[in-house]
């Protein structure tokens, strides 16, 4: 079974019980355009409602996993016309009832990397770039990054990543001891499929109950972090320096 949710999101059945969501916005390199955000929400609604689904693989195309907010949306946030909390795409994997595997075969930038970290299993590629680049522009992180990045990467590396806004190749993160596998790009999706097929051997209700238990603390704490991040944005986003940085540095 193959179902194309939209031209930029493809949902396919890898095997019985395993669905793959592939982000494939070739024009915008998997930026979180309004169309991509809507399509992602619809895709996760589709797989969550599928009573036969036991595991979900989230992946991108070629060298891109997900590359974060658009310049237009960042400028709207800077001008106070929107908030990242208006559109909850960041925690879709966390809220999905069955386990989600982020097969980050390509670059994960800003909110794109953060979204991937909300999955139950994370796989990176050695060649790809991963960064939480919010502070590159001068505004504090959002999308639950202040919670999930230190939680998944460890306090020291997570805080470093959020504060310095550096770019890291997957190979460097592997050497720094990230607690999830890092493979050659061509191996990422096959390894994700292996995990998903192992999950599909288990009863669906058992997978749902266990995920609910394992993620309960994160789901309870996330709204608190989101509220705090929105409050920080009210103070940090409106700076003129931030606007200039978004206009000058975006895409670099």
């Amino acid at each position: 079974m193959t179902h194309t949710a939209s031209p930029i999101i493809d949902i396919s059945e890898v095997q019985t019980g395993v669905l793959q969501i592939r982000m494939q916005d070739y024009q915008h390199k998997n930026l979180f355009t309004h169309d991509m955000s809507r399509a992602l929400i619809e895709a996760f609604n589709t797989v969550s409602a599928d009573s036969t689904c036991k595991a979900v693989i989230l992946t991108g195309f070629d060298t891109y996993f997900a590359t974060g907010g658009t310049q237009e949306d960042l400028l709207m946030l800077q001008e106070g016309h929107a908030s990242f909390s208006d559109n909850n795409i960041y925690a879709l994997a966390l809220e999905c009832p069955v386990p989600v595997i982020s097969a980050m075969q390509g670059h994960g930038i800003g909110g794109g990397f953060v979204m991937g970290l909300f999955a139950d299993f994370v796989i990176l590629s050695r060649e790809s770039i991963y960064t939480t680049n919010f502070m590159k522009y001068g505004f504090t992180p959002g999308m639950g990054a202040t919670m999930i990045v230190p939680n998944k990467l460890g306090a020291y590396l997570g805080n470093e990543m959020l504060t310095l806004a550096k770019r890291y190749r997957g190979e460097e993160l592997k050497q720094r001891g990230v607690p999830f596998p890092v493979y050659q790009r061509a191996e990422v999706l096959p390894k994700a499929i292996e995990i998903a097929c192992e999950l599909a051997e288990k009863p669906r209700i058992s997978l749902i109950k266990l995920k609910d238990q394992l993620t309960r603390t994160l789901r309870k704490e996330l709204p608190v972090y989101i509220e705090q991040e929105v409050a920080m944005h009210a103070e940090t986003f409106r700076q003129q320096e931030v606007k200039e940085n978004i206009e000058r540095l975006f895409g670099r």
Side-chain angles (χ1 to χ4, degrees), residues 59-73:
T59 194
F61 75 91
D62 298 341
T63 60
Y64 296 97
F65 174 70
T67 52
T70 66
Q71 185 179 45
E72 177 185 8
D73 283 347

Side-chain angles (χ1 to χ4, degrees), residues 7-21:
I8 56 176
I9 291 283
D10 178 77
I11 305 175
S12 60
E13 186 176 60
V14 175
Q15 74 151 46
T16 302
V18 177
L19 294 177
Q20 176 181 291
I21 298 174

Side-chain angles (χ1 to χ4, degrees), residues 2 10 28 68 89 115-116 128 147 159 182 208 230 235 250:
T2 298
D10 178 77
H28 300 105
I89 59 171
M115 180 182 69
S128 297
M147 181 188 80
N159 292 343
V182 183
I208 290 173
V230 169
E235 296 187 45
F250 189 86

Side-chain angles (χ1 to χ4, degrees), residues 3-128:
H3 171 67
T4 301
S6 77
I8 56 176
I9 291 283
D10 178 77
I11 305 175
S12 60
E13 186 176 60
V14 175
Q15 74 151 46
T16 302
V18 177
L19 294 177
Q20 176 181 291
I21 298 174
R22 183 175 186 261
M23 297 175 283
Q24 52 185 26
D25 187 345
Y26 299 100
Q27 178 182 356
H28 300 105
K29 300 177 179 177
N30 284 353
L31 281 168
F32 290 149
T33 62
H34 294 173
D35 287 342
M36 174 61 83
S37 297
R38 283 192 296 268
L40 274 171
I41 292 170
E42 291 171 4
F44 271 95
N45 285 340
T46 297
V47 299
S48 295
D50 188 331
S51 62
T52 67
C53 180
K54 296 182 177 182
V56 177
I57 298 169
L58 178 64
T59 194
F61 75 91
D62 298 341
T63 60
Y64 296 97
F65 174 70
T67 52
T70 66
Q71 185 179 45
E72 177 185 8
D73 283 347
L74 291 180
L75 288 172
M76 285 185 64
L77 290 170
Q78 194 278 328
E79 293 166 0
H81 298 318
S83 168
F84 74 86
S85 61
D86 295 339
N87 192 9
N88 178 9
I89 59 171
Y90 44 88
L92 288 171
L94 179 67
E95 295 171 353
C96 184
V98 297
V100 177
I101 305 155
S102 282
M104 289 199 258
Q105 87 309 325
H107 307 314
I109 310 297
F113 183 55
V114 172
M115 180 182 69
L117 291 181
F118 274 102
D120 306 281
F121 298 88
V122 176
I123 305 175
L124 305 182
S125 88
R126 293 177 177 174
E127 308 94 321
S128 297

Side-chain angles (χ1 to χ4, degrees), residues 41 78 102 129 137 153 214 234 240:
I41 292 170
Q78 194 278 328
S102 282
I129 292 170
Y137 303 109
L153 297 180
L214 293 175
Q240 179 64 25

Side-chain angles (χ1 to χ4, degrees), residues 119-248:
D120 306 281
F121 298 88
V122 176
I123 305 175
L124 305 182
S125 88
R126 293 177 177 174
E127 308 94 321
S128 297
I129 292 170
Y130 305 102
T131 178
T132 54
N133 60 346
F134 308 93
M135 289 287 282
K136 166 185 172 182
Y137 303 109
F139 61 86
T140 49
M143 300 186 72
T146 57
M147 181 188 80
I148 202 64
V149 175
N151 178 277
K152 289 294 180 76
L153 297 180
Y156 186 89
L157 179 56
N159 292 343
E160 175 187 305
M161 196 173 216
L162 290 171
T163 305
L164 298 183
K166 291 170 57 177
R167 295 151 60 107
Y168 303 79
R169 293 281 179 182
E171 180 61 34
E172 181 180 355
L173 292 176
K174 181 179 181 179
Q175 293 172 3
R176 294 287 298 273
V178 291
F180 26 77
V182 183
Y183 297 113
Q184 295 287 348
R185 178 173 291 129
E187 298 179 276
V188 170
L189 186 55
K191 293 294 185 180
I193 292 173
E194 284 182 21
I195 295 172
C197 290
E198 286 187 53
L199 290 167
E201 295 172 359
K202 281 73 174 174
R204 173 178 157 88
I205 188 63
S206 299
L207 291 168
I208 290 173
K209 291 296 183 181
L210 181 56
K211 174 168 180 173
D212 179 68
Q213 175 65 23
L214 293 175
T215 61
R216 185 164 297 173
T217 299
L218 289 177
R219 288 183 286 110
K220 180 180 179 181
E221 293 180 352
L222 181 58
V224 178
Y225 278 84
I226 295 299
E227 183 179 357
Q228 293 168 345
E229 289 176 354
V230 169
M232 287 194 295
H233 278 183
E235 296 187 45
T236 65
F237 237 121
R238 300 301 296 276
Q239 302 173 86
Q240 179 64 25
E241 181 181 358
V242 169
K243 180 178 181 180
E244 293 170 357
N245 285 341
I246 293 171
E247 292 173 339
R248 179 171 57 90

